[in-house]
Structures are given as C-alpha cells and as structure tokens.
Amino acid sequence: MQAPRGVGLSPLGDFPSAEAQALAALIRRRYKVPAVVLRRIALPTSAYDASRRQYRAEDLEATVLRTPTRLPPGVTAGIALTNRDLYAPSLGEAWAFAYRSPTSRLVINSTARLDPSFFGLHADNAIADSRLRKLTGRAVGVISYGRPLSADPRSVLSRSLLSLDDLDFMTESFAPAPPSVAERRWLSGVGHVCARGSSAVRAAGLGRATTPAEAIVRLRKVLALEQRWFPPLEHIAPAPTERARIRSLGSALNGLISIDRQAIAALSAQWSAADYRHWLLADGSQGNRAIWLALGLGSRPCGQFIESI
C-alpha cells in the first residue's frame, strides 16, 4: 500500500494556532500521517459575500493554492482551516462544512457551523470538537490516503454528508467495525422504544404555541411524553463498551425532564416572556446534546425522536 501523503495545515485569517497544532497532533497520532502547521494565510476580502455573510470556498481555494509556501519533505496534501462560514457557488451549495479542491489535494474545513452557538444555542465544546475531528479525519482519508468515499454512513468517509446529523452519526474511523452482539441488542431495543415514542409525538399533535396558555399546554404534553418514553430507554441493557456514553445520554434526557418540569412550575405560577425564551434556549441546548449523543451511539431513531419533541 502506498505511503500516506504528509499534510500541511494552513490557518486562514484568525483561526487559532493552538487549534491547528492540536489537529496536526491528532493526524499524527490517530492516522499515522506526518502533519505540520504552515504559516498563516490572510483571508482575501474579495472572497467575502457581504449579502450572505459567507466566504466563497472557491476563492479561498485559489488564495491558498497561489500563496508561496515552503513545504517540508513529504508534505504534499493540505487542509486549510477557517472559522468563517463558507458556501460553494460552483457546487450549488448554500453552505459547506468542507470544500475539496477539484484540481489539488486540498480541503478547506470550516468550523463556523460546528458549535451549537451558531444556531443560537449554548456553546458546547464537546460537540464542536467531535465534529471537527471527524472533518479532519475525513480530509486525511481522502487527500492523504487517497481513499474513496464509503457507502457506510458510520464511516468518517461516508459519501452522505448533507447535515449535522450525518456528521454526528459518523464515527472517526475509515472502516468502523460492525456493532457487536451487545451493541446490536441495545440499538434494537432503544430503536423500538424511540419509534413508538415518535408515533406518540405525532399523535399528541404538539403544534406551535402562539399564546402563553398554548405554550403551557404544549409544555405539559412534552413533559408527559418525556416522562413516558425516556425512562424505558434506561432499562435497555447497555453494551459494556458504550456504558459511559449511554450513561451520558441518560443524564441528558433526565436533564431535559428537569428543565421542562421547572419551566412548567415557574411559567404556570407567573408567565414571563423572558423566562419563556430562557427556557427555549435551555431546552433546545439540552435536547441538542441528547440528539448528538444518540446519533454518536448509532441510533438514528432516537435522534429523530428526541428532535421531534
């Protein structure tokens, strides 16, 4: 098998140097690929689309490729890193986690959408770091090892990367091992519970609240669904290898119940639009973490169920 190409990481604009160094260390440690951090490249103002508040990925690609850089021996592939939001007009993409050059071994990774704070939720470094590690591994697989994209949605090289859910469902491995018997048993058990929970959510007709009274009624329905369907998930025997992550999922789900129970008590006693907005933020952030955990464990049905409430 051909030796992997060394990777040079180029921070763009104000992308943190420490983060670039940490990614280079990850590439060397996990993927056994030589990796170095190259000098910083300024973001070209011409690449910025003010009407969209995004950078054109193709323009950043051109800037990186024409910037004179002395590459260490063996480094013939590159990952450019930006914390700005991207879109790729040539591909018809309204936004992009990553952009791969069609002519060179270069990938541009954007961290802009990886943290939940981009979508108005609380920041979550664990989620953002997990997603960036996967984008990094994906780039290494393609430009360093020359691996093709995979039909396995759990592979970091999955050819399907259209959403954050797709990214969260991936592992960090090129070819992840199939689930063990214990893992399949857990996935089957929680999948059955979550499928029934999703049916119950549809039957509940949650709708959209437009008045304080409707908001409280909806909250009560949500809490009833959570109290009915979350506890059975904790009764499914966990696979020993996933015990810690499954315990984290249980804690996240219990946290959702606690947040919603407290919100009902407070808002029923005295309605406050500000308190309601505070609850929406807390509930959305906690729910987002639970979805991320469920998908990371390989359960799309549970990710979809939690998201539906």
Side-chain angles (χ1 to χ4, degrees):
M1 184 175 67
Q2 184 177 354
R5 295 169 180 261
V7 176
L9 289 85
S10 299
L12 303 183
D14 58 356
F15 189 91
S17 296
E19 195 166 0
Q21 292 289 354
L23 291 174
L26 169 71
I27 292 170
R28 293 191 296 267
R29 181 181 68 254
R30 181 176 181 89
Y31 299 103
K32 312 304 180 187
V33 170
V36 295
V37 177
L38 306 174
R39 71 182 183 89
R40 186 175 303 278
I41 299 174
L43 286 167
T45 56
S46 60
Y48 184 63
D49 187 331
S51 66
R52 303 172 61 101
R53 299 181 181 179
Q54 292 175 301
Y55 280 78
R56 287 180 292 273
E58 295 88 346
D59 290 0
L60 295 187
E61 171 205 11
T63 296
V64 173
L65 292 178
R66 68 170 174 254
T67 299
T69 304
R70 290 189 62 183
L71 298 176
V75 174
T76 56
I79 300 175
L81 300 163
T82 180
N83 49 20
R84 308 305 171 90
D85 198 25
L86 302 181
Y87 79 109
S90 64
L91 302 178
E93 294 180 348
W95 53 269
F97 295 128
Y99 174 80
R100 179 185 175 190
S101 169
T103 60
S104 305
R105 289 185 177 270
L106 171 69
V107 169
I108 302 173
N109 280 344
S110 167
T111 62
R113 293 174 181 257
L114 303 186
D115 194 289
S117 60
F118 181 88
F119 302 96
L121 301 174
H122 290 312
D124 194 316
N125 290 336
I127 293 178
D129 290 348
S130 167
R131 291 168 174 171
L132 181 55
R133 288 197 306 271
K134 292 176 184 181
L135 287 182
T136 301
R138 183 180 181 86
V140 168
V142 172
I143 64 173
S144 177
Y145 281 96
R147 285 177 173 253
L149 295 182
S150 170
D152 182 357
R154 292 285 277 166
S155 168
V156 77
L157 294 173
S158 170
R159 66 171 58 100
S160 177
L161 179 53
L162 303 176
S163 67
L164 285 172
D165 283 358
D166 289 338
L167 186 58
D168 292 339
F169 191 68
M170 295 175 182
T171 68
E172 296 181 30
S173 299
F174 296 151
S180 66
V181 172
E183 289 168 343
R184 289 199 303 271
R185 187 181 300 116
W186 182 83
L187 286 169
S188 176
V190 298
H192 179 66
V193 172
C194 288
R196 293 174 63 197
S198 293
S199 296
V201 171
R202 291 191 293 271
L206 295 178
R208 185 181 181 85
T210 58
T211 67
E214 289 177 355
I216 291 174
V217 169
R218 188 184 189 282
L219 255 173
R220 293 186 186 281
K221 288 183 179 180
V222 167
L223 180 60
L225 287 163
E226 292 171 345
Q227 291 176 326
R228 168 65 182 87
W229 296 105
F230 286 175
L233 295 175
E234 297 189 60
H235 297 156
I236 309 296
T241 55
E242 298 288 9
R243 197 179 301 276
R245 286 205 296 172
I246 292 171
R247 188 162 48 244
S248 295
L249 175 59
S251 295
L253 295 177
N254 288 331
L256 268 175
I257 291 174
S258 177
I259 289 169
D260 293 345
R261 185 183 291 124
Q262 291 173 26
I264 290 172
L267 294 171
S268 297
Q270 182 177 352
W271 176 265
S272 163
D275 288 347
Y276 181 63
R277 289 192 297 271
H278 178 77
W279 166 79
L280 286 173
L281 176 59
D283 181 86
S285 300
Q286 184 75 3
N288 187 70
R289 171 165 268 267
I291 294 166
W292 169 69
L293 287 164
L295 292 173
L297 285 162
S299 180
R300 280 198 185 274
C302 287
Q304 293 164 354
F305 167 49
I306 299 164
E307 190 170 7
S308 71
I309 298 181

